[in-house]
Amino acid sequence: MKMTVSTAAQEWYQTNLDLKSGDGIHFYGKVYGKTNVHEGFSIAFRPEKPQKPFYEVQYQEISYFFDDIDEWFFTGYDLEIDYDAKHDSPSYTFVAEA
């Protein structure tokens, strides 16, 4: 399981959430909606500094992470986060782990 965040998506988060060095984005599964691999659940995020993340990746001193309570949502997949210019928002694609 790994998470990648494109440069364009990083810029979107930093600009729209006014992120500074040491800040973080906490990803988690929420009821309702869907992803390309989850029916009835979608991905959500909130700005939050990591405390004890289960998984974390850093770009430009910003942490992108999820906690152990949401491990079920990410297990078996890599998460690719990109920027969708048409909707001016991040896009999320789960890819089965190789």
Side-chain angles (χ1 to χ4, degrees):
M1 126 186 24
K2 69 179 177 177
M3 182 187 312
T4 57
V5 185
S6 73
T7 301
Q10 293 171 44
E11 291 173 1
W12 186 91
Y13 288 116
Q14 290 173 14
T15 300
N16 288 280
L17 302 175
D18 194 30
L19 299 176
K20 308 283 188 268
S21 178
D23 287 343
I25 299 293
H26 178 186
F27 295 98
Y28 57 97
K30 71 172 188 168
V31 177
Y32 301 114
K34 67 178 185 171
T35 71
N36 63 305
V37 297
H38 302 95
E39 190 65 43
F41 295 92
S42 60
I43 192 166
F45 67 86
R46 64 179 170 254
E48 178 177 285
K49 292 184 187 225
Q51 299 300 313
K52 293 182 180 178
F54 180 83
Y55 178 88
E56 175 182 25
V57 63
Q58 289 192 352
Y59 296 97
Q60 300 178 346
E61 299 180 18
I62 305 293
S63 293
Y64 300 84
F65 67 97
F66 61 88
D67 292 336
D68 59 353
I69 195 167
D70 288 303
E71 176 187 1
W72 66 271
F73 190 73
F74 299 95
T75 296
Y77 300 102
D78 294 336
L79 176 60
E80 298 173 353
I81 304 171
D82 204 355
Y83 172 70
D84 180 345
K86 181 179 177 182
H87 295 103
D88 187 29
S89 67
S91 64
Y92 307 95
T93 305
F94 288 87
V95 178
E97 286 181 317

